[in-house]
Amino acid sequence: MSLRLAGLALGVLFLASCRGGDDVPVNNVVDAPDTGIAPILDREDAVDVHSFAKPLDARVHHVALDLDVDFDAQRVAGTATLDLDAKDDVDEVILDTRGLTINAITAVDGTHLQFHTGKEDATLGAPLTVKMGNYRKIVIDYVSAEESTALQFLNPEQTAGKRHPFLLSQGQAIENRSWIPTQDSPGIRQTWEAKIRVPNPLTAVMSAATIGDAVPDGDTHHIFRFEMEKSVPPYLIAIAVGDITFEPLGLRSGVWAEPETIEAAKAELADTEKMITEAEKLFGPYDWGRYDMIVLPPSFPFGGMENPRLTFLTPTFIAGDKSLTALIAHELAHSWSGNLATNATWADFWLNEGMTVYAEQRILEAVYGEKAYKQAVALSVEDLRGELPGLEPWQQALAIDLEGKHPDDGFNGVPYDKGAAFLRTIEVAVGREKFDEFMRGWFSRHAFQPVTSSMFLDELREELVKGDEALEEKLRLDNWVYGEGLPDNMVEPDPKAFAEVDAAITAFDGGETPNREAWGGWNTAERLRFLGGIEGDLPPARMAALDRALGLSRTGNNEILFLWLKLAVANRYDAALPTLEQFLTRQGRRKFVAPLITALAEDRSWGRAKAAEFYPKVRPGYHPITQRGLDELGLPTGVEDDSDES
């Protein structure tokens, strides 16, 4: 997932007659069964504090969905059939849910099974315990949560075409439990299939292979079928339904989008096949068959989401000149780091994202050259150094303690950019050729498996350090993974990567007029570096001159516009407010809207009143994930139970 602020890219449990259930402990660790049904999950650092499941006792290994998409009710309903691995003496399985309505649970022969939903936890949802006896396949008849945190139903006005409604899902980190009753933990990989019924003339796509053509179901609906034969962490089960069309990009890649967006999306993604080829050279074979993408309506909260076989993308990456396609390199790289070898728990999120940022930068180098690589590295480190002072010490480690916290509390630039800096430091110390061989081996050895930080460190020492005490001291591995801040052995970015731009920043800060000619010759990375490097208070006249010279309010590049508006808010520049409101209204990418609205809200004397005015108007177009974080600012939301701001 691309969450970074970097410029280039970032449940349960018996019927009322049964006892217990409400106080089911999270992840009681037991001895692993001899069947090996939960590889590596018996490790202490693989215990997932964000799941009620006990995978060493009973584990879901396959999910079959049969669901009807109801746009009027804004819910999905149907059945989930779960195939289970369990110890012989285990007669119950614990699942993760949030807000689901469970109508019945049966064995496949129709035998009704006892179940009980436990006490609701604000973060985790509620455990669902099913007494399955000797059955190892169960069928759950259910309805998704009202206002599911994973599903966003859009009205036609929120789409590009403005004619038909749209549905999209976002499962990471622990949101899919609000529409799929399963063990919602990244360490519990599952194969899956789905049969999805949608109203005409809409099309359903999922993060899996499409099986056959859509089949009519009466006069008003069609049924689409999907299958994922590779085991995936459940957060990567994804769905989108809307008025969409497909265009191929190459032999194994293509793009879905609304008809109004498809041609621009196809043009922007023209380099995808090149990226796949270069990524395979670096990290080994692409193991997912096809690499397709879908450009979603603008309310999608992230830059991209690496759902296997179908990356979800924000339309805000479309700039008209392929200048923001580092996002594609990032999501493609997840096909190895995250999707192939997956963090066993969200405490080791850096194993997904730090490796992906490192891989993204290497792919950019292979496709666009050394300059692009050096600039991507420099921006990454600059963003990290800017963010670290605002983070609590526990948030600055790569392997973090999330006990009692939501996984989102650890979603910042550290797992992304510090993780990439760590890997780059190892690469320089041992040599690129040797480190590339190690990384290919890492992905091969752990393909379709969960991994932990301690596993990575163990393999580094076994494969690369090999008892070399001087190298061990030079790398400072434990300090990088478990310590706060940036270790002083970090390999610094090339100081010449932005030499011309840095000189222009110094000149501008010294009072010189913005250089329109130089700006016109810079690439997007250089423009982002310039805007991100401006410091100090700028009076309105200076802000106006900057906008006038560089055309910032009129740019079609959303990354540049974001930095301009961030600068405008920091300098209380009233003339930018109409552009700011338009930007907050037409897209809901969390990377953009959260910092801007937060900065407004935290400026008590100038910005908070404006945030209180903007937020109720723009909030309905945002994904629930975005709303959740912004609602904590205490601004009016416009919903019926909204209380007055204190």
Side-chain angles (χ1 to χ4, degrees):
M1 182 194 308
S2 181
L3 290 175
R4 297 178 298 152
L5 297 181
L8 275 184
L10 22 60
V12 230
L13 323 166
F14 329 113
L15 288 172
S17 60
C18 296
R19 293 207 241 159
D22 287 354
D23 298 318
V24 173
V26 178
N27 275 302
N28 263 353
V29 182
V30 298
D31 292 336
D34 294 337
T35 56
I37 63 170
I40 81 101
L41 296 184
D42 56 339
R43 298 174 64 101
E44 183 178 356
D45 60 347
V47 177
D48 187 359
V49 300
H50 296 108
S51 173
F52 294 101
K54 298 180 181 179
L56 303 181
D57 284 349
R59 169 183 174 266
V60 176
H61 70 84
H62 183 75
V63 178
L65 302 173
D66 187 345
L67 299 174
D68 179 81
V69 177
D70 188 337
F71 279 92
D72 292 330
Q74 298 197 342
R75 301 175 87 168
V76 300
T79 61
T81 301
L82 308 183
D83 286 89
L84 309 170
D85 281 332
K87 289 181 176 180
D88 291 342
D89 59 350
V90 171
D91 66 354
E92 68 178 33
V93 61
I94 302 178
L95 310 174
D96 296 302
T97 70
R98 183 188 291 122
L100 303 183
T101 300
I102 308 298
N103 298 319
I105 302 180
T106 65
V108 289
D109 63 4
T111 300
H112 281 268
L113 303 176
Q114 293 182 327
F115 65 92
H116 179 72
T117 301
K119 184 178 180 181
E120 186 83 13
D121 179 90
T123 296
L124 303 180
L128 174 64
T129 296
V130 183
K131 297 287 277 187
M132 81 281 194
N134 292 323
Y135 291 105
R136 294 299 181 260
K137 178 176 285 194
I138 62 175
V139 182
I140 303 174
D141 185 322
Y142 73 100
V143 181
S144 67
E146 186 176 3
E147 298 184 354
S148 162
T149 55
L151 302 179
Q152 186 178 26
F153 287 87
L154 307 178
N155 60 46
E157 290 72 27
Q158 293 173 292
T159 68
K162 304 190 183 306
R163 294 185 304 275
H164 300 285
F166 203 103
L167 166 66
L168 62 91
S169 71
Q170 172 54 43
Q172 195 176 35
I174 56 172
E175 311 306 335
N176 268 356
R177 62 191 65 183
S178 68
W179 75 287
I180 303 173
T182 187
Q183 292 173 325
D184 189 14
S185 170
I188 308 177
R189 300 183 71 108
Q190 302 154 25
T191 55
W192 62 278
E193 61 188 287
K195 184 167 71 172
I196 306 296
R197 180 176 181 266
V198 304
N200 300 334
L202 305 183
T203 297
V205 291
M206 296 189 77
S207 52
T210 301
I211 306 301
D213 296 327
V215 177
D217 185 34
D219 296 331
T220 60
H221 287 72
H222 272 72
I223 293 175
F224 296 79
R225 300 183 70 99
F226 307 91
E227 183 177 21
M228 173 51 73
E229 295 180 338
K230 311 282 190 179
S231 66
V232 299
Y235 70 85
L236 291 178
I237 303 175
I239 186 171
V241 179
D243 177 20
I244 53 177
T245 188
F246 180 79
E247 283 287 338
L249 297 168
L251 292 176
R252 52 178 169 172
S253 65
V255 59
W256 291 91
E258 294 184 73
E260 294 77 11
T261 311
I262 190 68
E263 289 303 323
K266 181 180 180 181
E268 208 78 0
L269 296 169
D271 292 337
T272 299
E273 288 282 343
K274 293 180 186 177
M275 291 184 178
I276 298 173
T277 299
E278 296 301 331
E280 286 189 307
K281 292 177 184 177
L282 289 166
F283 308 116
Y286 178 78
D287 280 333
W288 300 95
R290 291 190 58 81
Y291 183 75
D292 292 328
M293 294 156 283
I294 180 170
V295 178
L296 296 163
S299 60
F300 183 59
F302 303 120
M305 183 62 212
E306 63 272 16
N307 303 308
R309 294 184 62 101
L310 189 66
T311 283
F312 281 22
L313 294 172
T314 171
T316 63
F317 85 96
I318 298 176
D321 58 3
K322 297 190 290 186
S323 61
L324 299 179
T325 53
L327 173 65
I328 312 307
H330 183 93
E331 303 309 335
L332 170 63
H334 269 303
S335 302
W336 290 266
S337 50
N339 295 5
L340 202 59
T342 309
N343 50 223
T345 77
W346 298 111
D348 284 331
F349 185 52
W350 81 272
L351 289 172
N352 282 20
E353 294 297 351
M355 287 189 178
T356 295
V357 174
Y358 173 81
E360 164 201 335
Q361 293 165 352
R362 294 290 305 279
I363 294 170
L364 290 176
E365 180 182 28
V367 176
Y368 299 118
E370 187 177 21
K371 179 180 178 181
Y373 169 76
K374 290 181 177 180
Q375 291 184 341
V377 169
L379 285 174
S380 174
V381 173
E382 178 185 39
D383 283 349
L384 177 61
R385 283 187 162 136
E387 186 175 10
L388 279 173
L391 299 177
E392 297 180 32
W394 71 268
Q395 293 176 302
Q396 298 179 24
L398 290 178
I400 59 176
D401 182 4
L402 286 173
E403 183 75 47
K405 301 179 178 68
H406 194 285
D408 284 359
D409 294 342
F411 281 24
N412 54 57
V414 169
Y416 293 80
D417 298 315
K418 181 178 177 180
F422 175 40
L423 299 181
R424 190 170 56 254
T425 298
I426 301 171
E427 175 208 311
V428 172
V430 304
R432 175 170 280 193
E433 183 177 350
K434 190 177 293 186
F435 188 63
D436 283 356
E437 181 182 359
F438 171 81
M439 291 303 297
R440 282 191 293 270
W442 169 261
F443 295 130
S444 176
R445 289 188 295 272
H446 302 290
F448 309 106
Q449 295 291 336
V451 290
T452 71
S453 288
S454 64
M455 291 171 64
F456 184 70
L457 293 180
D458 288 346
E459 291 195 22
L460 280 173
R461 291 182 167 113
E462 180 179 349
E463 301 289 334
L464 292 178
V465 178
K466 297 181 178 180
D468 185 333
E469 294 182 3
L471 180 57
E472 175 79 27
E473 176 63 26
K474 181 178 182 180
L475 291 176
R476 299 176 60 189
L477 300 175
D478 291 337
N479 186 236
W480 270 98
V481 173
Y482 302 111
E484 62 189 65
L486 271 178
D488 57 16
N489 68 330
M490 183 188 75
V491 173
E492 293 288 344
D494 184 348
K496 299 178 182 178
F498 290 106
E500 178 186 347
V501 179
D502 291 343
I505 294 171
T506 300
F508 179 80
D509 287 344
E512 286 192 13
T513 302
N515 190 325
R516 184 187 317 217
E517 183 177 350
W519 175 269
W522 290 342
N523 61 32
T524 292
E526 289 164 333
R527 293 177 177 183
L528 295 172
R529 173 78 166 204
F530 178 77
L531 288 175
I534 294 175
E535 297 179 350
D537 296 330
L538 300 179
R542 191 89 167 121
M543 291 290 290
L546 184 63
D547 189 15
R548 190 165 52 248
L550 308 183
L552 298 173
S553 294
R554 302 185 304 276
T555 180
N557 187 306
N558 287 288
E559 298 278 358
I560 292 173
L561 184 57
F562 165 66
L563 285 187
W564 162 241
L565 293 173
K566 189 177 177 183
L567 191 64
V569 171
N571 286 278
R572 300 179 172 181
Y573 184 48
D574 289 304
L577 290 176
T579 303
L580 174 63
E581 182 174 6
Q582 183 185 46
F583 185 66
L584 294 174
T585 301
R586 65 177 172 82
Q587 56 81 34
R589 187 175 175 183
R590 190 168 69 166
K591 166 184 172 177
F592 295 150
V593 302
L596 292 172
I597 293 175
T598 300
L600 282 173
E602 292 178 349
D603 186 336
R604 292 278 173 176
S605 62
W606 176 81
R608 190 161 184 90
K610 296 171 177 60
E613 176 188 349
F614 288 162
Y615 189 51
K617 292 189 288 185
V618 301
R619 183 184 184 276
Y622 295 166
H623 190 277
I625 291 174
T626 306
Q627 292 176 350
R628 181 175 62 222
L630 290 174
D631 287 352
E632 295 177 357
L633 295 171
L635 298 169
T637 63
V639 298
E640 288 185 8
D641 61 348
D642 188 40
S643 58
D644 291 335
E645 180 190 358
S646 58

